[in-house]
Amino acid sequence: MHKYTHLLATISTYAITCLWNDDMNQNFAKNLRHVCAERVSIAQICREIGINQQQFNRYLSGAGLPSAHNLRRICLYFDLQESDLLSDSEAFAQRRGQLNRNRPTAREDPFANAFPGDLARLRQYVGAYNIHFMSPSWPDCVMIGASFLDDLGGQISVRTIERGVGPEQVNLQRARYDGKAGFHGSRIFVVEFESEQEGSISETVLYPAHRQQRTYLRGMTLGLAWRPRRMPYSGRVIWKRADVSASVRDVFNLCGVYPIEHKVIDPIIRNFLLEKSGLQGEN
Protein backbone atom coordinates (compact mmCIF):
# COMPACT_ATOMS: atom_id res chain seq x y z
CA MET A 1 0.00 0.00 0.00
CA HIS A 2 2.81 2.44 0.91
CA LYS A 3 4.54 1.68 -2.42
CA TYR A 4 1.44 2.60 -4.42
CA THR A 5 0.78 5.72 -2.33
CA HIS A 6 4.33 6.92 -2.98
CA LEU A 7 3.95 6.18 -6.70
CA LEU A 8 0.71 8.19 -6.92
CA ALA A 9 2.31 11.12 -5.10
CA THR A 10 5.28 10.99 -7.49
CA ILE A 11 2.99 10.94 -10.53
CA SER A 12 0.94 13.87 -9.15
CA THR A 13 4.08 15.90 -8.50
CA TYR A 14 5.36 15.19 -12.01
CA ALA A 15 2.01 16.14 -13.54
CA ILE A 16 1.89 19.44 -11.66
CA THR A 17 5.49 20.24 -12.65
CA CYS A 18 4.72 19.59 -16.31
CA LEU A 19 1.58 21.71 -16.28
CA TRP A 20 3.15 24.70 -14.56
CA ASN A 21 4.83 27.23 -16.80
CA ASP A 22 7.07 30.11 -15.78
CA ASP A 23 4.13 32.52 -15.41
CA MET A 24 2.28 30.12 -13.13
CA ASN A 25 5.45 29.59 -11.12
CA GLN A 26 5.91 33.33 -10.59
CA ASN A 27 2.21 33.79 -9.82
CA PHE A 28 2.43 31.05 -7.21
CA ALA A 29 5.49 32.63 -5.58
CA LYS A 30 3.89 36.10 -5.50
CA ASN A 31 0.58 34.81 -4.19
CA LEU A 32 2.33 32.77 -1.51
CA ARG A 33 4.34 35.82 -0.42
CA HIS A 34 1.11 37.81 -0.30
CA VAL A 35 -0.68 35.47 2.11
CA CYS A 36 2.47 34.97 4.20
CA ALA A 37 2.65 38.74 4.74
CA GLU A 38 -0.68 38.47 6.59
CA ARG A 39 0.89 36.23 9.23
CA VAL A 40 3.34 36.85 12.06
CA SER A 41 6.44 35.23 10.58
CA ILE A 42 7.63 32.69 8.01
CA ALA A 43 9.18 30.63 10.83
CA GLN A 44 5.83 30.33 12.59
CA ILE A 45 4.05 29.42 9.35
CA CYS A 46 6.56 26.62 8.68
CA ARG A 47 6.24 25.30 12.24
CA GLU A 48 2.46 25.21 12.06
CA ILE A 49 2.35 23.62 8.60
CA GLY A 50 5.17 21.24 9.51
CA ILE A 51 7.34 22.07 6.51
CA ASN A 52 11.07 22.74 6.19
CA GLN A 53 11.71 26.50 6.21
CA GLN A 54 14.60 26.32 3.75
CA GLN A 55 12.40 24.48 1.28
CA PHE A 56 9.53 26.91 1.92
CA ASN A 57 11.84 29.84 1.15
CA ARG A 58 12.48 28.28 -2.26
CA TYR A 59 8.75 28.39 -2.94
CA LEU A 60 8.64 32.04 -1.88
CA SER A 61 11.50 33.01 -4.17
CA GLY A 62 10.13 31.08 -7.15
CA ALA A 63 13.20 28.83 -7.17
CA GLY A 64 11.22 25.68 -6.45
CA LEU A 65 7.77 24.15 -6.66
CA PRO A 66 5.99 22.21 -3.92
CA SER A 67 5.03 18.60 -4.36
CA ALA A 68 1.33 17.80 -4.65
CA HIS A 69 1.36 16.81 -0.97
CA ASN A 70 3.03 20.04 0.21
CA LEU A 71 0.84 22.16 -2.06
CA ARG A 72 -2.24 20.66 -0.44
CA ARG A 73 -0.87 21.27 3.07
CA ILE A 74 -0.12 24.90 2.23
CA CYS A 75 -3.60 25.44 0.81
CA LEU A 76 -5.26 23.83 3.82
CA TYR A 77 -3.26 26.06 6.15
CA PHE A 78 -4.26 29.27 4.38
CA ASP A 79 -7.80 28.02 3.67
CA LEU A 80 -7.30 28.34 -0.10
CA GLN A 81 -7.86 26.21 -3.17
CA GLU A 82 -4.87 25.18 -5.30
CA SER A 83 -6.33 27.27 -8.14
CA ASP A 84 -6.20 30.37 -5.89
CA LEU A 85 -2.45 30.18 -5.42
CA LEU A 86 -1.92 29.46 -9.12
CA SER A 87 -4.13 32.31 -10.35
CA ASP A 88 -2.98 35.66 -11.77
CA SER A 89 -1.12 37.48 -8.99
CA GLU A 90 -2.77 40.88 -9.59
CA ALA A 91 -6.25 39.39 -9.54
CA PHE A 92 -5.36 37.37 -6.46
CA ALA A 93 -4.08 40.45 -4.59
CA GLN A 94 -7.26 42.32 -5.48
CA ARG A 95 -9.45 39.51 -4.16
CA ARG A 96 -7.43 39.27 -0.95
CA GLY A 97 -7.64 43.02 -0.47
CA GLN A 98 -11.41 42.90 -0.74
CA LEU A 99 -11.54 39.96 1.68
CA ASN A 100 -9.28 41.63 4.24
CA ARG A 101 -11.34 44.82 4.19
CA ASN A 102 -14.18 42.75 5.61
CA ARG A 103 -12.04 41.38 8.45
CA PRO A 104 -11.00 43.06 11.71
CA THR A 105 -7.62 44.75 11.34
CA ALA A 106 -4.83 44.28 13.86
CA ARG A 107 -5.75 47.70 15.23
CA GLU A 108 -9.40 46.68 15.66
CA ASP A 109 -8.48 43.28 17.10
CA PRO A 110 -5.27 43.57 19.17
CA PHE A 111 -5.51 39.86 20.08
CA ALA A 112 -5.43 38.71 16.45
CA ASN A 113 -1.82 37.52 16.79
CA ALA A 114 -1.80 36.88 20.55
CA PHE A 115 -2.93 33.26 20.40
CA PRO A 116 -1.36 30.76 20.19
CA GLY A 117 2.02 32.45 19.74
CA ASP A 118 4.76 29.81 19.57
CA LEU A 119 2.50 26.84 18.98
CA ALA A 120 5.27 24.23 18.86
CA ARG A 121 6.52 25.24 22.32
CA LEU A 122 3.01 25.55 23.73
CA ARG A 123 1.97 22.11 22.54
CA GLN A 124 4.47 20.60 24.99
CA TYR A 125 2.18 21.71 27.82
CA VAL A 126 -1.08 20.25 26.54
CA GLY A 127 -2.64 18.08 29.24
CA ALA A 128 -4.47 18.08 32.59
CA TYR A 129 -3.39 20.08 35.64
CA ASN A 130 -4.44 20.79 39.20
CA ILE A 131 -4.10 24.52 39.85
CA HIS A 132 -3.31 25.91 43.33
CA PHE A 133 -3.60 29.42 44.74
CA MET A 134 -4.26 31.03 48.11
CA SER A 135 -8.01 31.50 48.37
CA PRO A 136 -9.07 35.16 48.71
CA SER A 137 -12.36 33.98 50.24
CA TRP A 138 -10.92 31.65 52.91
CA PRO A 139 -7.76 33.05 54.60
CA ASP A 140 -4.81 30.67 54.98
CA CYS A 141 -6.45 28.17 52.66
CA VAL A 142 -5.49 26.88 49.23
CA MET A 143 -8.00 26.57 46.42
CA ILE A 144 -7.33 23.59 44.15
CA GLY A 145 -8.99 23.55 40.76
CA ALA A 146 -8.65 21.57 37.54
CA SER A 147 -7.39 22.98 34.23
CA PHE A 148 -7.20 21.24 30.87
CA LEU A 149 -5.14 22.46 27.90
CA ASP A 150 -6.26 21.01 24.56
CA ASP A 151 -5.01 21.47 21.01
CA LEU A 152 -7.98 22.45 18.84
CA GLY A 153 -6.66 22.81 15.32
CA GLY A 154 -3.77 25.15 16.04
CA GLN A 155 -5.37 26.97 18.98
CA ILE A 156 -4.74 25.88 22.57
CA SER A 157 -7.99 26.00 24.50
CA VAL A 158 -8.13 26.18 28.29
CA ARG A 159 -10.95 24.87 30.46
CA THR A 160 -10.82 25.42 34.22
CA ILE A 161 -13.20 24.00 36.80
CA GLU A 162 -13.37 25.12 40.43
CA ARG A 163 -15.57 23.02 42.70
CA GLY A 164 -15.56 20.94 45.86
CA VAL A 165 -16.06 21.30 49.60
CA GLY A 166 -14.43 24.11 51.57
CA PRO A 167 -13.50 24.40 55.27
CA GLU A 168 -16.24 23.44 57.72
CA GLN A 169 -17.88 21.42 54.93
CA VAL A 170 -19.13 24.53 53.14
CA ASN A 171 -20.26 23.59 49.63
CA LEU A 172 -18.61 25.71 47.00
CA GLN A 173 -20.38 27.05 43.97
CA ARG A 174 -19.12 25.29 40.89
CA ALA A 175 -17.46 27.62 38.39
CA ARG A 176 -16.20 26.98 34.88
CA TYR A 177 -13.85 29.18 32.90
CA ASP A 178 -13.11 28.81 29.18
CA GLY A 179 -10.35 30.55 27.30
CA LYS A 180 -7.13 30.35 25.32
CA ALA A 181 -3.42 30.07 25.98
CA GLY A 182 -0.55 31.79 24.16
CA PHE A 183 3.22 31.30 24.36
CA HIS A 184 5.47 34.34 24.06
CA GLY A 185 8.99 34.95 25.34
CA SER A 186 9.18 31.69 27.31
CA ARG A 187 5.98 32.56 29.18
CA ILE A 188 2.51 31.01 28.97
CA PHE A 189 -0.36 33.50 28.96
CA VAL A 190 -3.86 32.27 29.83
CA VAL A 191 -7.01 34.38 29.44
CA GLU A 192 -10.33 32.83 30.49
CA PHE A 193 -13.97 33.92 30.71
CA GLU A 194 -16.53 32.70 33.27
CA SER A 195 -20.02 33.44 31.99
CA GLU A 196 -22.35 31.54 34.32
CA GLN A 197 -22.34 34.09 37.16
CA GLU A 198 -22.28 37.79 36.33
CA GLY A 199 -19.38 37.23 33.98
CA SER A 200 -15.69 37.65 34.80
CA ILE A 201 -12.30 37.41 33.12
CA SER A 202 -9.26 35.83 34.72
CA GLU A 203 -5.67 36.27 33.55
CA THR A 204 -2.69 34.08 34.38
CA VAL A 205 0.99 34.24 33.46
CA LEU A 206 2.99 31.04 33.93
CA TYR A 207 6.63 30.19 33.43
CA PRO A 208 8.32 26.80 33.17
CA ALA A 209 11.45 26.73 35.32
CA HIS A 210 13.30 24.29 33.05
CA ARG A 211 12.55 22.84 29.64
CA GLN A 212 12.99 19.35 31.05
CA GLN A 213 10.71 20.04 34.03
CA ARG A 214 7.07 20.44 33.08
CA THR A 215 5.50 19.08 36.26
CA TYR A 216 5.15 22.53 37.87
CA LEU A 217 4.20 25.78 36.16
CA ARG A 218 4.57 28.78 38.46
CA GLY A 219 3.16 32.25 37.98
CA MET A 220 0.64 34.91 38.94
CA THR A 221 -3.11 35.07 38.48
CA LEU A 222 -5.66 37.89 38.51
CA GLY A 223 -9.39 37.46 38.96
CA LEU A 224 -12.43 38.04 41.16
CA ALA A 225 -13.03 36.60 44.63
CA TRP A 226 -16.19 34.56 45.16
CA ARG A 227 -17.04 36.02 48.56
CA PRO A 228 -17.87 38.04 50.55
CA ARG A 229 -18.05 40.32 47.51
CA ARG A 230 -16.79 39.93 43.96
CA MET A 231 -13.65 41.95 44.57
CA PRO A 232 -10.50 41.84 42.41
CA TYR A 233 -7.55 39.87 43.73
CA SER A 234 -4.14 38.77 42.49
CA GLY A 235 -1.76 36.18 43.82
CA ARG A 236 0.66 33.40 43.15
CA VAL A 237 -0.56 30.34 41.33
CA ILE A 238 1.10 27.03 40.59
CA TRP A 239 -0.13 24.39 38.15
CA LYS A 240 0.85 20.76 38.73
CA ARG A 241 0.57 18.41 35.77
CA ALA A 242 -1.53 15.33 36.45
CA ASP A 243 0.08 11.92 36.12
CA VAL A 244 -0.30 10.29 32.73
CA SER A 245 -2.28 7.49 34.36
CA ALA A 246 -4.65 9.92 36.13
CA SER A 247 -8.25 10.06 34.91
CA VAL A 248 -10.36 13.21 34.66
CA ARG A 249 -12.15 12.05 37.80
CA ASP A 250 -8.81 11.79 39.62
CA VAL A 251 -8.05 15.41 38.72
CA PHE A 252 -11.50 16.57 39.84
CA ASN A 253 -11.31 14.62 43.12
CA LEU A 254 -8.51 16.91 44.34
CA CYS A 255 -10.58 20.04 43.81
CA GLY A 256 -11.68 22.02 46.86
CA VAL A 257 -10.39 24.39 49.53
CA TYR A 258 -7.80 23.10 52.01
CA PRO A 259 -5.85 24.59 54.93
CA ILE A 260 -2.33 25.43 53.77
CA GLU A 261 -0.84 22.73 56.03
CA HIS A 262 -3.19 19.98 54.78
CA LYS A 263 -1.44 16.80 53.69
CA VAL A 264 -2.97 17.04 50.21
CA ILE A 265 -0.86 20.16 49.52
CA ASP A 266 2.42 19.21 47.84
CA PRO A 267 5.37 20.66 49.86
CA ILE A 268 6.82 22.26 46.71
CA ILE A 269 3.48 23.97 46.11
CA ARG A 270 3.16 25.05 49.76
CA ASN A 271 6.65 26.58 49.78
CA PHE A 272 5.99 28.49 46.58
CA LEU A 273 2.64 29.88 47.72
CA LEU A 274 4.11 31.02 51.06
CA GLU A 275 7.23 32.62 49.55
CA LYS A 276 7.12 36.33 50.31
CA SER A 277 9.29 37.92 47.63
CA GLY A 278 10.00 37.19 43.98
CA LEU A 279 8.92 34.16 42.03
CA GLN A 280 11.29 31.40 43.03
CA GLY A 281 12.87 28.97 40.61
CA GLU A 282 12.87 25.21 40.52
CA ASN A 283 13.89 23.40 43.72
Side-chain angles (χ1 to χ4, degrees):
M1 176 61 72
H2 293 296
K3 178 175 69 176
Y4 293 117
T5 301
H6 179 72
L7 178 61
L8 288 172
T10 302
I11 294 172
S12 298
T13 303
Y14 178 75
I16 288 176
T17 304
C18 291
L19 289 173
W20 283 13
N21 54 39
D22 289 341
D23 288 339
M24 293 177 69
N25 186 15
Q26 292 306 310
N27 282 331
F28 172 78
K30 290 179 181 179
N31 294 341
L32 184 60
R33 291 195 298 268
H34 190 98
V35 292
C36 286
E38 299 171 1
R39 302 301 175 105
V40 176
S41 68
I42 299 300
Q44 180 174 330
I45 292 170
C46 292
R47 283 195 301 269
E48 295 181 357
I49 296 177
I51 197 168
N52 180 274
Q53 186 172 347
Q54 183 176 1
Q55 184 63 42
F56 194 80
N57 286 334
R58 287 176 54 82
Y59 305 156
L60 291 171
S61 67
L65 304 174
S67 65
H69 176 63
N70 282 347
L71 176 62
R72 187 60 183 152
R73 292 166 69 192
I74 292 169
C75 289
L76 286 172
Y77 179 77
F78 289 109
D79 192 21
L80 295 169
Q81 298 295 322
E82 286 91 337
S83 57
D84 294 326
L85 283 178
L86 301 177
S87 64
D88 178 77
S89 58
E90 292 185 5
F92 179 81
Q94 186 175 6
R95 290 197 302 273
R96 294 297 294 182
Q98 182 62 42
L99 177 63
N100 289 332
R101 278 194 290 273
N102 297 327
R103 292 176 175 173
T105 65
R107 186 177 182 85
E108 293 169 346
D109 181 10
F111 289 100
N113 297 321
F115 303 100
D118 191 334
L119 181 59
R121 296 282 298 277
L122 188 55
R123 276 178 170 150
Q124 301 173 28
Y125 300 96
V126 167
Y129 296 82
N130 279 116
I131 64 173
H132 307 73
F133 56 92
M134 299 299 294
S135 170
S137 301
W138 286 274
D140 301 319
C141 290
V142 177
M143 165 73 80
I144 300 182
S147 285
F148 303 89
L149 272 63
D150 297 300
D151 187 347
L152 299 181
Q155 292 288 330
I156 304 300
S157 72
V158 183
R159 176 169 52 98
T160 298
I161 306 293
E162 294 176 0
R163 70 178 190 181
V165 178
E168 301 177 359
Q169 299 301 304
V170 177
N171 289 327
L172 297 180
Q173 184 174 359
R174 181 181 183 275
R176 170 172 171 163
Y177 301 79
D178 293 281
K180 289 183 178 182
F183 194 102
H184 301 274
S186 300
R187 299 292 183 263
I188 300 170
F189 297 86
V190 177
V191 178
E192 297 175 278
F193 179 61
E194 190 275 316
S195 60
E196 294 181 358
Q197 309 300 320
E198 298 175 15
S200 68
I201 294 175
S202 67
E203 302 169 69
T204 301
V205 181
L206 302 167
Y207 73 95
H210 300 294
R211 291 184 180 180
Q212 295 80 13
Q213 174 56 271
R214 302 193 187 100
T215 301
Y216 300 98
L217 298 175
R218 298 164 167 81
M220 298 289 291
T221 190
L222 171 68
L224 293 180
W226 281 4
R227 68 175 204 177
R229 300 183 306 277
R230 289 166 58 81
M231 296 295 292
Y233 81 94
S234 65
R236 290 174 168 234
V237 66
I238 180 167
W239 293 28
K240 183 178 181 181
R241 184 189 286 268
D243 293 336
V244 176
S245 60
S247 66
V248 172
R249 177 175 293 182
D250 293 332
V251 178
F252 281 145
N253 284 343
L254 289 175
C255 293
V257 178
Y258 302 88
I260 185 65
E261 298 299 333
H262 196 284
K263 63 181 181 181
V264 78
I265 307 299
D266 183 322
I268 291 177
I269 293 172
R270 181 184 300 114
N271 291 339
F272 174 76
L273 294 178
L274 293 177
E275 181 70 23
K276 297 296 183 183
S277 61
L279 294 178
Q280 66 187 33
E282 190 72 24
N283 286 349

Coordinates of all heavy atoms in Angstrom, one line a residue, residues 7 30 74-75 87 131 140 145 151 175 193 216 227 275-276 280:
L7 N 4.0 6.1 -5.2 CA 3.9 6.2 -6.7 C 2.9 7.2 -7.2 O 3.2 8.0 -8.0 CB 3.6 4.8 -7.3 CG 3.5 4.7 -8.8 CD1 4.8 5.1 -9.5 CD2 3.1 3.3 -9.3
K30 N 4.4 34.8 -5.9 CA 3.9 36.1 -5.5 C 2.7 35.9 -4.6 O 2.5 36.6 -3.6 CB 3.5 36.9 -6.7 CG 4.7 37.4 -7.5 CD 4.3 38.2 -8.7 CE 5.4 38.7 -9.6 NZ 5.0 39.5 -10.8
I74 N -0.2 23.4 2.2 CA -0.1 24.9 2.2 C -1.5 25.5 2.0 O -1.9 26.4 2.7 CB 0.9 25.4 1.1 CG1 2.3 25.0 1.5 CG2 0.7 26.9 1.0 CD1 3.3 25.2 0.4
C75 N -2.3 24.9 1.1 CA -3.6 25.4 0.8 C -4.5 25.2 2.0 O -5.4 26.1 2.3 CB -4.2 24.8 -0.4 SG -3.3 25.3 -2.0
S87 N -3.4 31.3 -9.5 CA -4.1 32.3 -10.4 C -3.3 33.5 -10.6 O -2.2 33.7 -10.0 CB -5.4 32.7 -9.7 OG -5.2 33.4 -8.5
I131 N -4.6 23.2 39.6 CA -4.1 24.5 39.8 C -4.3 24.8 41.3 O -5.2 24.4 42.0 CB -4.8 25.6 39.0 CG1 -6.3 25.7 39.3 CG2 -4.7 25.2 37.5 CD1 -7.0 26.8 38.7
D140 N -5.7 31.8 54.6 CA -4.8 30.7 55.0 C -5.2 29.3 54.4 O -4.9 28.3 54.9 CB -4.7 30.5 56.5 CG -4.1 31.8 57.2 OD1 -3.2 32.4 56.6 OD2 -4.6 32.2 58.2
G145 N -8.1 23.7 41.9 CA -9.0 23.6 40.8 C -8.4 22.6 39.7 O -7.3 22.1 39.9
D151 N -5.4 21.0 22.3 CA -5.0 21.5 21.0 C -6.2 21.3 20.1 O -6.6 20.2 19.7 CB -3.8 20.7 20.5 CG -3.3 21.3 19.2 OD1 -4.0 22.1 18.6 OD2 -2.2 20.9 18.7
A175 N -17.7 26.6 39.4 CA -17.5 27.6 38.4 C -16.7 27.0 37.3 O -15.8 26.2 37.5 CB -16.7 28.8 39.0
F193 N -12.7 33.2 30.4 CA -14.0 33.9 30.7 C -14.9 33.0 31.4 O -15.1 31.8 31.0 CB -14.6 34.4 29.4 CG -15.9 35.2 29.6 CD1 -15.9 36.3 30.4 CD2 -17.0 34.7 29.0 CE1 -17.1 37.0 30.5 CE2 -18.3 35.4 29.2 CZ -18.3 36.5 29.9
Y216 N 5.7 21.3 37.2 CA 5.2 22.5 37.9 C 5.3 23.8 37.0 O 6.3 24.0 36.4 CB 5.9 22.8 39.2 CG 5.9 21.7 40.2 CD1 6.9 20.7 40.3 CD2 4.8 21.5 41.0 CE1 6.8 19.7 41.2 CE2 4.7 20.5 41.9 CZ 5.8 19.6 42.0 OH 5.7 18.5 42.9
R227 N -16.3 35.4 47.4 CA -17.0 36.0 48.6 C -16.0 36.8 49.4 O -14.8 36.5 49.3 CB -17.8 34.9 49.4 CG -16.8 34.0 50.1 CD -17.6 33.0 51.0 NE -16.7 32.5 52.0 CZ -17.1 31.7 53.0 NH1 -18.3 31.3 53.1 NH2 -16.2 31.3 53.9
E275 N 6.1 31.8 49.8 CA 7.2 32.6 49.5 C 6.8 34.1 49.5 O 5.8 34.4 48.8 CB 7.9 32.2 48.2 CG 9.2 33.0 47.9 CD 10.3 32.7 48.8 OE1 10.3 31.6 49.4 OE2 11.2 33.5 48.9
K276 N 7.5 34.9 50.2 CA 7.1 36.3 50.3 C 7.6 37.2 49.2 O 6.9 38.2 48.8 CB 7.6 36.9 51.6 CG 7.1 36.2 52.9 CD 5.6 36.4 53.0 CE 5.0 35.8 54.2 NZ 3.5 35.9 54.3
Q280 N 10.1 32.2 42.9 CA 11.3 31.4 43.0 C 11.4 30.4 41.9 O 10.4 30.1 41.3 CB 11.3 30.7 44.4 CG 10.1 29.6 44.5 CD 10.1 29.1 45.9 OE1 10.3 29.7 46.8 NE2 9.7 27.8 46.0

